[in-house]
Amino acid sequence: MSKYKVVERFVSINGEGRKAGEPAVFIRFAGCNLNCSYCDTRWANDKEVSYEELSENEIYDYIKRTEIKNVTLTGGEPLMVDDIDKLLLILSLDDSIAVEVETNGSVDIAEFKALTDKISYTLDYKLPGSGMEESMCISNYNYIDKNDTVKFVVSSKQDLSRALEIIYTYALCEKANVYLSPAFGRIEPEEIVDFMLENNMNNVKLQLQLHKFIWDTDMRGV
């Protein structure tokens, strides 16, 4: 049986994405291969971070005890966790839960999409303001579908222009759900809306991180 380094597990609401505002149970794994300038969970990537070692069955049992349908696996970077495919397979066999994986966009999702079609993925595209754009795995856009989401965290007008280019170059709105999200404190949502309207960005959605408006921006476990 595998063991997973879990730095947080909690019940809250989805702060963003297709199910924003709905209750969800979150499993946060330690470790990430990127270091985004605006990262709000950098603590989870510290090599000295404290964590629980939980098996796939223990994680599944915890999820079931919460009686919450929506499940979000996040990090860090969950798709770099050893044996994450085993956990995904176990979770995918339960039709009473809806599982979403939040991934930073640098990991090839092909093998995970081939494993099961019952998991949805939210992929970041790291824009120039993140400092991590060169790490993006563009081939992922060959595998996404309407159950998946591509999210652009925007820090500046330059980021907006780059997001527009990527969205149209890879026809993302035809393949998946597409969101623009302001990097908290770096750009005003109004500026993003103005850009969307100026460029007729049909089928693209603005999203705000609900949890940062409900709770303190530095609070964990929400």
Side-chain angles (χ1 to χ4, degrees), residues 8-197:
E8 273 192 318
R9 47 176 170 150
F10 59 93
V11 172
S12 184
I13 61 163
N14 267 313
E16 51 196 326
R18 291 189 303 126
K19 297 189 176 183
E22 295 185 23
V25 53
F26 292 82
I27 308 294
R28 185 183 305 281
F29 299 96
C32 188
N33 59 319
L34 301 186
N35 185 26
C36 297
S37 63
Y38 49 71
C39 181
D40 55 6
T41 54
R42 189 170 279 111
W43 60 270
N45 308 329
D46 192 315
K47 291 182 179 180
E48 303 302 320
V49 68
S50 60
Y51 58 84
E52 299 178 272
E53 282 198 343
L54 300 176
S55 70
E56 53 265 43
N57 288 337
E58 287 171 328
I59 293 173
Y60 176 68
D61 289 345
Y62 167 73
I63 290 168
K64 295 300 289 184
R65 288 198 305 273
T66 68
E67 299 184 356
I68 298 293
K69 174 184 177 181
N70 295 322
V71 179
T72 299
L73 306 183
T74 187
E77 175 46 59
L79 294 185
M80 294 192 70
V81 173
D82 289 343
D83 294 330
I84 194 67
D85 55 330
K86 294 180 181 178
L87 177 62
L88 293 178
L89 189 56
I90 287 174
L91 298 181
S92 70
L93 295 174
D94 188 339
D95 290 332
S96 71
I97 58 177
V99 182
E100 172 193 17
V101 175
E102 293 185 339
T103 176
N104 63 26
S106 71
V107 181
D108 191 334
I109 65 170
E111 64 176 290
F112 302 108
K113 294 288 282 186
L115 182 69
T116 174
D117 61 0
K118 293 183 178 179
I119 305 286
S120 67
Y121 294 84
T122 294
L123 296 88
D124 275 12
Y125 183 91
K126 302 299 185 184
L127 294 164
S130 72
M132 293 287 124
E133 186 178 18
E134 71 280 359
S135 297
M136 293 298 91
C137 181
I138 298 298
S139 64
N140 281 336
Y141 301 147
N142 295 322
Y143 307 106
I144 54 176
D145 57 44
K146 286 296 185 179
N147 289 319
D148 303 318
T149 298
V150 180
K151 180 181 72 174
F152 297 84
V153 178
V154 176
S155 299
S156 64
K157 196 72 174 284
Q158 178 193 9
D159 278 358
L160 283 169
S161 297
R162 181 60 173 158
L164 181 66
E165 179 183 359
I166 294 297
I167 289 167
Y168 284 114
T169 298
Y170 298 100
L172 294 182
C173 290
E174 297 174 18
K175 299 174 180 178
N177 305 278
V178 179
Y179 289 82
L180 298 177
S181 180
F184 198 82
R186 290 194 175 191
I187 189 171
E188 292 300 321
E190 181 181 359
E191 188 171 352
I192 298 177
V193 173
D194 288 344
F195 184 89
M196 292 171 68
L197 297 178

